[in-house]
Amino acid sequence: MSTSHIAEIISSNRILAALSRPQHRFLFSSLQSIHLPRSKVLYELGDQMSHSFFIANGMVSLLAVTEEGFATEISMVGNEGLIGVPALLGVNKAPYCVQVQIDGTAMRVRTDILVGEFKRGGPLQDLILRYEHSLISQIAQSAACNRFHSVEQRLGRWLLISGDRVKSNTIRLTHEALSHMLGSTRTTVTEAANSLKLKGLIDYRRGNIQILNRQELERTACECYRVVTRELGHSLAA
C-alpha cells in the first residue's frame, strides 16, 4: 500500500486527522492499515483488547449480548471514533461485542501504545475524552430509544446514522443484520422496512438499502437521530 494511500486513510479518521504528527510521532509510526470485512467480530464480550482501531470508513457496532446469545446494538462507530476506549479508562476487557456491520478500513495500533500516548495528555487525550462523552451519550440515548420508540422509528434512525457514517445513501445490509442491530425479529424488521418502502422513503434489494427521501425519513425517524448527531457534532467541534 502506497504512502499516499496510508495518509488518506489516516486523514479519514477525524481523531487522527486533528492530531499533529510531529507531536505524536510514535503513535503514527505504530499505526497499521487493515481491512474490516462485513460481519467480522473484532472483540467478543470479555475479550482482552490487545489492539485499538481508528475507523477510517465503514461502520462498526457495539452490541450488548445476553447469555442466550441475543444481541442489540447500543452504539455505532464510524470515522469519528475508535474501538478501544475502555482500555484507555483502565479496563482492558471488552464490555460488549464489537462487530463490523459495513465493511471498511481502519488504522490499528497496539492498545498499550495508545494507552501510553493517551497518558501523556495533550490533544490526543482531549479528543478521546470528548469522543468518549459522545459515545456515552449515544449509549444512553439507545437505551431510551429501544424502550420507547417503534421499530419503524428506530429503523429510520439506524439508516440515517449509517448513511452519515458511510457518506452514502446506499447501505449494504441484510434484514437479518438489521434484526440483530434493532433487537427485533427479522419479520418485524421486514414489516418496518416494507412500510418505509411503501411510503417511498427507501428501496431495498439483494442486501442493498437505498435512502430515497432523506428529508421525510428524518421526519419519520425518532428524535434520537437528531440528539445523537447534535451531540457528536458538538463533541468533535469543541
Side-chain angles (χ1 to χ4, degrees), residues 46-195:
D47 282 353
Q48 292 286 329
M49 306 183 81
S50 59
H51 288 85
S52 297
F53 304 83
F54 291 91
I55 308 302
N57 50 66
M59 193 182 71
V60 178
S61 289
L62 310 184
L63 305 171
V65 183
T66 68
E67 290 183 353
E68 293 80 12
F70 299 110
T72 186
E73 184 181 76
I74 56 175
S75 189
M76 308 174 187
V77 181
N79 74 330
E80 80 289 345
L82 75 149
I83 301 300
V85 169
L88 299 175
L89 302 178
V91 181
N92 197 26
K93 287 188 177 181
Y96 32 62
C97 175
V98 182
Q99 185 176 31
V100 179
Q101 296 302 334
I102 299 176
D103 66 317
T105 53
M107 298 305 295
R108 183 178 67 179
V109 64
R110 277 178 23 210
T111 296
D112 62 321
I113 291 176
L114 183 59
V115 169
E117 290 290 289
F118 178 79
K119 288 181 177 180
R120 290 175 53 204
L124 176 64
Q125 186 182 89
D126 181 57
L127 285 165
I128 289 178
L129 288 176
R130 283 194 270 124
Y131 170 67
E132 171 66 8
H133 172 74
S134 73
L135 189 61
I136 291 172
S137 298
Q138 286 185 61
I139 294 172
Q141 197 67 38
S142 290
C145 187
N146 290 339
R147 173 65 178 84
F148 295 112
H149 297 142
S150 69
V151 174
E152 184 174 320
Q153 288 177 307
R154 289 188 281 133
L155 177 58
R157 162 186 172 258
W158 204 96
L159 293 175
L160 288 167
I161 293 179
S162 299
D164 289 346
R165 295 301 198 276
V166 300
K167 299 179 181 178
S168 173
N169 284 327
T170 301
I171 305 158
R172 294 186 62 238
L173 284 168
T174 64
H175 287 195
E176 184 176 2
L178 283 171
S179 68
H180 289 309
M181 298 308 93
L182 296 172
S184 300
T185 65
R186 182 172 178 175
T187 300
T188 302
V189 172
T190 298
E191 290 173 353
N194 282 337
S195 177

